[in-house]
Amino acid sequence: SCAPPDLPEAVISKSRRGAEQACVRSGAQCQVYYYHFHKAGGTTLCAMAKANGLRVYLGANCLVRGVRWWEEEAAWQRDWLEDQPVDLVANEGGQWGEAPWPEGPQVGGGRGLLYVITVRQPLDRVLSHYHHERAAGKLRGVGFADFVEAKAFVHWRSNFYVRLLGGCAWAHCGEAHLARATAVLRSYFSVVLVSDDPTTYSFGARVLLSQRLGWEVVDPEPFSSRGTHSHSCAADELAGAPGALLQLAELNSLDLAFHAAAKSLFHRQLLDALAESKPPRALLRKIASAQQPLVPVAGERGDEFVATLSRVIFGVGSAVEEPEASSTEARRLASALTAPELDRSGYGGHTKDCRGVGGMPLYECRRRLVGSSSC
């Protein structure tokens, strides 16, 4: 099947929580199923898993080659995965394909298997995919604006996330597929990371990979060189072709909404992890131990929510050796800050749908549509 199962979200969420509790009970490192969105930071995460002592097929980017195991029956999958000498298995490019077991995360081999995913700003992910293809010797003579506007590449540059998680694959994707994709994100995944920029990815990894997975090596920066070596900011790349940028945003209107939902869930998971940490100071010290500062570097837009968390924990400025926040303050983070709700105004549809959105003038809607893609 190309679509995730039509099971009640509460059923899958209950299964996910059971797997999380099994990880805690076992006292052992959890087994991880990593859903690898192409060009969203998965190569880095695979290398981090290896550095944490997880058994992975590093040369295969944490994939298991030659077996389309996700297409088998659930019982066969359980037996197969338990027999594999791996602690993290990735899936990149299968449709659904996405879930090892349709009824949700499972408890197998005496330990839970947790679902992890990384989401990147959609327009920048498309540009990174373009760079990847160019580095492989493809798309010669094709500029990025041409790539955006050409009919031949529409499925690779249009709502990639929703196509995979929403079940529409290469057919037309709509609001129902977006709703399904966000429901899958909420119900299946114990860790949602956002890799829009190095600071956000680093902060999220240090909090969630340590707290939810028990990893010790949690700074992605030393491992980031394994991916495509190219800066990817679609707004910068198409600065001289605003029409192409607008078209790219329109083609990815569903993915932009999915990305906003992913960021909201990412923020909530950060707050929950910080509030639940026992003792919280140990987690805060791990957050502060990065080789890179926790404030955005020059020219990096960053995540305002993450920047606010950083200021609350460390005060103004870069990371320090000893966090300033007390244990009590860390536990109050969840009530002191509220993760923003999904807000689609300004980029929720094609520009032809802008007119009349919330009484917003057409030019303002279009400005927000393009602005939502800025790096």
Side-chain angles (χ1 to χ4, degrees):
S1 171
C2 285
D6 287 317
L7 287 177
E9 188 175 336
V11 172
I12 300 175
S13 296
K14 181 179 180 180
S15 180
R16 186 200 72 239
R17 289 192 293 272
E20 292 169 349
Q21 291 165 3
C23 285
V24 174
R25 288 195 304 269
S26 69
Q29 210 156 38
C30 301
Q31 197 170 25
V32 176
Y33 170 70
Y34 178 60
Y35 187 80
H36 185 168
F37 278 134
H38 187 56
K39 308 314 301 175
T43 300
T44 296
L45 190 133
C46 177
M48 291 174 66
K50 177 69 172 178
N52 277 280
L54 275 70
R55 297 171 298 168
V56 299
Y57 296 122
L58 186 62
N61 213 15
C62 288
L63 305 174
V64 178
R65 305 286 190 186
V67 180
R68 297 181 67 84
W69 53 273
W70 55 83
E71 296 180 351
E72 302 293 338
E73 295 295 327
W76 185 96
Q77 289 186 32
R78 291 188 189 94
D79 293 341
W80 176 84
L81 198 53
E82 287 181 17
D83 290 340
Q84 293 299 304
V86 293
D87 300 308
L88 181 147
V89 59
N91 183 10
E92 181 183 11
Q95 291 302 333
W96 189 264
E98 287 100 60
W101 300 302
E103 61 266 42
Q106 300 292 300
V107 178
R111 55 180 179 165
L113 181 141
L114 303 188
Y115 284 38
V116 177
I117 198 168
T118 309
V119 180
R120 182 181 183 179
Q121 205 282 343
L123 310 193
D124 297 343
R125 193 212 65 81
V126 172
L127 176 57
S128 186
H129 176 82
Y130 166 81
H131 284 311
H132 179 81
E133 295 297 313
R134 293 269 292 183
K138 306 174 185 178
L139 301 177
R140 292 179 179 175
V142 179
F144 186 54
D146 297 328
F147 177 82
V148 169
E149 295 170 341
K151 295 180 180 179
F153 309 116
V154 64
H155 292 133
W156 291 107
R157 55 183 168 82
S158 168
N159 295 320
F160 187 74
Y161 299 148
V162 174
R163 289 186 186 283
L164 293 180
L165 288 186
C168 48
W170 307 130
H172 172 74
C173 299
E175 294 289 335
H177 299 103
L178 169 63
R180 177 181 245 181
T182 54
V184 166
L185 192 71
R186 288 192 302 269
S187 55
Y188 274 93
F189 291 95
S190 296
V191 174
V192 176
L193 295 171
V194 173
S195 58
D196 292 358
D197 59 87
T199 299
T200 300
Y201 195 17
S202 182
F203 189 96
R206 280 177 274 154
V207 174
L208 298 177
L209 296 182
S210 59
Q211 179 70 2
R212 297 286 173 93
L213 302 186
W215 290 11
E216 293 295 328
V217 181
V218 290
D219 184 8
E221 180 61 27
F223 308 96
S224 61
S225 62
R226 294 189 73 242
T228 302
H229 298 219
S230 181
H231 172 67
S232 296
C233 177
D236 288 350
E237 189 82 8
L238 296 174
L245 178 59
L246 184 59
Q247 181 174 341
L248 184 62
E250 289 177 329
L251 285 168
N252 289 277
S253 60
L254 298 177
D255 265 10
L256 285 166
F258 175 83
H259 175 257
K263 285 186 69 173
S264 181
L265 182 55
F266 165 64
H267 295 159
R268 174 50 54 196
Q269 288 187 355
L270 287 177
L271 293 180
D272 290 345
L274 289 166
E276 295 166 2
S277 177
K278 298 177 182 180
R281 181 164 292 277
L283 178 58
L284 295 176
R285 188 174 293 110
K286 186 166 290 186
I287 298 171
S289 67
Q291 297 182 20
Q292 297 295 322
L294 284 170
V295 293
V297 299
E300 180 182 292
R301 185 179 184 183
D303 184 318
E304 293 180 3
F305 185 85
V306 167
T308 300
L309 271 182
S310 180
R311 286 194 297 270
V312 169
I313 295 171
F314 302 107
V316 179
S318 61
V320 293
E321 293 183 0
E322 180 66 21
E324 295 177 1
S326 67
S327 299
T328 301
E329 288 172 325
R331 291 184 178 279
R332 288 176 178 170
L333 283 174
S335 58
L337 295 169
T338 301
E341 298 298 322
L342 173 61
D343 179 7
R344 294 192 59 194
S345 63
Y347 59 83
H350 299 280
T351 52
K352 67 176 183 292
D353 299 324
C354 274
R355 193 178 300 277
V357 174
M360 187 185 301
L362 179 61
Y363 72 87
E364 175 63 14
C365 182
R366 284 179 169 170
R367 185 188 68 79
R368 293 194 184 188
L369 175 68
V370 176
S372 68
S373 68
S374 301
C375 299

